[in-house]
Amino acid sequence: MTRRIKGHLQALENEAVYVFREVAAQFERPVLLFSGGKDSIVMTWLAQKAFRPGAVPLPLLHIDTGHNFPETIEFRDRFVEDMGCRLLVRSVQDSIDRGRVQEETGPDASRNALQTVTLLDALKELKVDAALGGARRDEEKARAKERFFSHRDRFGQWDPKNQRPELWRLYNGRKAPGEHFRIFPLSNWTELDVWQYIRLEEIPIPHLYFSHEREVVRRNGVLLANSDFIELMDDERPELRRVRFRTIGDATCTGAVESEANSVEAVILETGAARVTERGGRSDDKRSEAAMEERKREGYF
């Protein structure tokens, strides 16, 4: 059944589809960065709309930390197969084994920041000239500075003070050899927009986004899932709570929220009332006031 989207969601969908088609017109080797989270799922859905009745003309690229929720990986593989897309996976563990990065140690150790090297190596290996990501401006103040077409130099670095103007939906994809672009079709979407679109389009998503019972550990105000990936401190004891996740990245730094929202409609109501951004529960963003911007300057998503 064809569903008719109206109002601002139709405008956002049209904008994203236009950006996808601009990428196909201006770049030769684009990839879509895919994590199995709601934003990259919506991105893949929009890519199908942009290029139907043909196949999506770009592969999906997952940078796997090795510390993902098992449910996310299971959903990723099933979703990609159902969508008929090609999935490429590059592993942080491989980067560690090759000596490209060094594993963090201690109770707050995470592989989240290590993804940057793995990503940049993958983009170089695959000769990628445009990497499409699901970042949105409402997520975090550093991401609010991004353009739709965000230039990266030959080292994969971002200079927020030297970005190109984007007037009248004109996107400048010119680059020198070795440089590439990060493209953000969902820039003007909000978390609430994403959930409303998921509801209207009936898009499948991992059940981690819905309320369920899980063992968690409270650390620095964040509820982390108890798993083999985190090292418990002496005063920490896992407790069973009813939670859901607003983001589902690396399990070592992705915090849960206590919630009874067990349907898309309930999540929409909860999101509309929320006063903390979805990345407010990410412990990696709390390492410094400018943690995200520092990582983005180095080549992070």
Side-chain angles (χ1 to χ4, degrees):
M1 180 181 69
T2 301
R3 289 165 291 278
R4 185 170 181 82
I5 299 174
K6 298 180 180 179
H8 79 287
L9 286 180
Q10 183 65 73
L12 290 172
E13 181 188 81
N14 291 344
E15 180 180 65
V17 165
Y18 177 81
V19 171
F20 269 105
R21 292 172 177 168
E22 279 292 296
V23 169
Q26 294 195 43
F27 298 97
E28 296 180 358
R29 300 179 67 89
V31 298
L32 194 162
L33 300 177
F34 187 82
S35 67
K38 67 183 186 307
D39 299 313
S40 59
I41 290 169
V42 168
M43 286 266 290
T44 308
W45 195 268
L46 289 164
Q48 280 216 324
K49 285 199 170 191
F51 301 112
R52 67 175 43 153
V56 175
L58 66 162
L60 310 185
L61 174 62
H62 182 206
I63 304 301
D64 184 357
T65 66
H67 289 169
N68 297 285
F69 293 97
E71 300 97 320
T72 303
I73 300 301
E74 292 171 9
F75 179 91
R76 178 200 71 183
D77 294 341
R78 186 171 64 252
F79 180 79
V80 169
E81 181 178 358
D82 291 344
M83 296 291 283
C85 295
R86 181 163 65 101
L87 175 66
L88 305 174
V89 179
R90 295 298 182 269
S91 170
V92 171
Q93 184 63 55
D94 289 342
S95 298
I96 295 170
D97 294 342
R98 290 188 288 113
R100 293 285 294 142
V101 293
Q102 184 174 353
E103 182 94 78
E104 293 184 3
T105 59
D108 289 326
S110 173
R111 290 185 174 182
N112 201 47
L114 306 186
Q115 294 180 86
T116 298
V117 172
T118 308
L119 172 63
L120 294 176
D121 286 350
L123 298 183
K124 183 177 180 180
E125 170 205 344
L126 300 169
K127 297 182 173 60
V128 170
D129 53 5
L132 290 89
R136 307 184 322 270
R137 288 172 178 152
D138 73 318
E139 288 182 85
E140 202 274 341
K141 56 189 177 183
R143 284 182 165 167
K145 300 178 182 180
E146 290 275 17
R147 301 288 197 266
F148 277 90
F149 277 36
S150 187
H151 177 261
R152 298 297 194 266
D153 65 20
R154 64 189 182 91
F155 301 108
Q157 296 177 329
W158 173 59
D159 182 359
K161 295 182 180 179
N162 185 28
Q163 299 190 83
R164 300 171 181 181
E166 292 180 339
L167 306 175
W168 306 293
R169 299 176 74 187
L170 297 175
Y171 303 124
N172 183 354
R174 293 182 180 180
K175 61 179 184 58
E179 299 176 345
H180 73 278
F181 278 80
R182 304 288 172 86
I183 314 292
F184 302 108
L186 302 185
S187 289
N188 287 332
W189 296 54
T190 66
E191 182 186 10
L192 188 58
D193 293 329
V194 170
W195 278 109
Q196 290 174 332
Y197 189 76
I198 288 170
R199 177 176 64 83
L200 289 173
E201 291 285 289
E202 298 179 3
I203 302 172
I205 58 169
H207 77 265
L208 285 169
Y209 283 113
F210 302 118
S211 178
H212 60 284
E213 287 192 340
R214 182 177 291 264
E215 273 197 353
V216 295
V217 176
R218 186 176 296 277
R219 180 177 296 176
N220 299 324
V222 175
L223 293 177
L224 296 177
N226 184 35
S227 71
D228 295 336
F229 306 138
I230 66 170
E231 177 183 333
L232 295 180
M233 299 181 185
D234 292 339
D235 60 343
E236 291 179 337
R237 297 292 182 272
E239 51 187 314
L240 193 64
R241 294 290 185 93
R242 192 155 191 85
V243 300
R244 72 176 189 89
F245 293 87
R246 294 173 73 184
T247 66
I248 53 174
D250 191 298
T252 63
C253 58
T254 303
V257 295
E258 295 192 76
S259 171
E260 296 293 333
N262 58 4
S263 67
V264 173
E265 290 75 13
V267 169
I268 288 173
L269 291 174
E270 188 174 271
T271 301
R275 292 296 176 265
V276 177
T277 66
E278 64 192 283
R279 291 194 67 93
R282 292 289 294 264
S283 61
D284 55 325
D285 287 351
K286 302 177 185 294
R287 293 190 174 194
S288 76
E289 286 293 321
M292 173 61 79
E293 183 160 334
E294 290 165 359
R295 294 201 304 274
K296 287 182 71 65
R297 285 177 182 269
E298 295 171 356
Y300 188 73
F301 305 111

